[in-house]
Amino acid sequence: MEERKIPETLEEAYRLRDEAEDLETREFYQEHVYRLRREEYRARGIRTEISSRRRERQSAIEFSREMFFMEVSELASRQGPQVQHEARRYASRLDTHAFLKQLASPSSRAVDLYRRNYLELLKMGKPPAEAYYLSRIIGLAGNAEFRQAIDSIRQTGYPRGRFTYALERAAIQIRDLPGGMILILLTFFASLFAFVWATGAWGKASPGTIFFVSLGLIAAGALMLVSAVFIVTFIRSINK
């Protein structure tokens, strides 16, 4: 096994972490990021509330979350207090989503991967809201897929095209609403019912009402199609 370099500075730890070829190596250098961060904050008189060896799992979770938010704040502080507050707010939303994903699948490493996505996008200068939605769209990508997505964002601004990004972002926004998925399902079945009704009413409609029945058919069909696309997008995003 190749001997890993022990970073001496925080900047070196970040660089080695970001250049890691696999998740195990990334986690190794992430531990050194925590160590050097802890030393820095202790030197500045900031308490981190963590044992030296982090034997207790809860302490480790709290510490990693604390370090994540500190790193988010530091990256966003260059753009002003308002952006810093917004970055922390979206970081909290992303972390909640990631923890729920990891509870459903403990081996997914969802928390680490979503945090990796968000921090990398903030480093690229993306606004917090855009970094949040891009992080959700990239999802639980492996190293190769993640680097490919980041390269695509650098070149085009989107991981898989502008239309796909707009569609997936809209789906995430609806999912984040209370009862968003239920609303889309209700819209789909309501439009399906309206479409069937308008089809049945076509043959019985008088010449004066055929125009309005036609508009109803078109509107119901379009709404049903849009709802179906969002439902498929929701299903695809379950594993992200």
Side-chain angles (χ1 to χ4, degrees):
M1 181 177 177
E2 184 180 353
E3 185 177 354
R4 297 185 178 121
K5 182 179 180 181
I6 304 299
E8 297 181 359
T9 65
L10 189 59
E11 290 74 17
E12 184 182 13
Y14 279 132
R15 180 179 58 79
L16 292 171
R17 183 197 66 181
D18 295 340
E19 292 175 354
E21 296 290 337
D22 53 75
L23 189 57
E24 184 181 353
T25 304
R26 178 183 174 83
E27 289 177 349
F28 174 80
Y29 287 116
Q30 183 65 56
E31 290 297 316
H32 285 286
V33 169
Y34 291 154
R35 174 181 62 82
L36 291 165
R37 272 286 187 191
R38 185 168 63 250
E39 292 175 0
E40 175 188 334
Y41 285 114
R42 280 179 177 172
R44 291 161 56 185
I46 300 174
R47 296 183 62 188
T48 57
E49 301 296 337
I50 185 65
S51 60
S52 59
R53 296 186 179 181
R54 300 194 308 280
R55 292 177 179 175
E56 298 179 8
R57 179 173 176 78
Q58 187 60 36
S59 295
I61 292 174
E62 291 174 359
F63 177 72
S64 65
R65 181 178 172 84
E66 183 180 358
M67 291 296 101
F68 170 62
F69 277 91
M70 285 181 174
E71 193 168 349
V72 167
S73 294
E74 185 170 318
L75 288 170
S77 63
R78 306 163 190 170
Q79 303 180 48
Q82 186 175 355
V83 175
Q84 189 178 33
H85 174 74
E86 185 182 9
R88 288 183 63 86
R89 181 164 56 86
Y90 278 107
S92 180
R93 287 174 61 181
L94 185 68
D95 230 34
T96 300
H97 175 76
F99 271 109
L100 291 175
K101 284 287 186 184
Q102 190 154 323
L103 283 175
S105 179
S107 62
S108 66
R109 312 295 297 172
V111 173
D112 291 334
L113 294 177
Y114 276 112
R115 288 175 178 174
R116 171 204 65 184
N117 297 351
Y118 191 64
L119 291 172
E120 185 65 29
L121 290 162
L122 287 179
K123 288 177 184 177
M124 291 172 61
K126 294 293 181 182
E130 189 176 354
Y132 168 77
Y133 290 111
L134 285 170
S135 297
R136 293 278 300 270
I137 291 169
I138 293 171
L140 308 180
N143 289 323
E145 186 182 354
F146 172 70
R147 294 184 187 281
Q148 185 178 2
I150 291 297
D151 289 340
S152 177
I153 291 169
R154 284 197 179 100
Q155 294 172 11
T156 67
Y158 310 99
R160 288 185 298 276
R162 184 173 184 175
F163 176 76
T164 303
Y165 168 72
L167 180 63
E168 293 189 343
R169 175 170 176 154
I172 292 169
Q173 288 173 326
I174 296 172
R175 280 191 64 187
D176 285 348
L177 293 173
M181 185 62 181
I182 296 175
L183 177 63
I184 288 296
L185 288 172
L186 288 175
T187 303
F188 175 79
F189 286 112
S191 58
L192 177 61
F193 174 79
F195 186 84
V196 172
W197 176 85
T199 303
W202 177 271
K204 304 174 183 178
S206 63
T209 59
I210 286 179
F211 175 73
F212 296 101
V213 174
S214 301
L215 286 180
L217 277 171
I218 295 171
L223 191 58
M224 185 170 56
L225 178 62
V226 170
S227 302
V229 169
F230 276 118
I231 290 170
V232 172
T233 306
F234 287 156
I235 294 172
R236 286 181 56 194
S237 67
I238 288 175
N239 294 324
K240 290 186 176 182

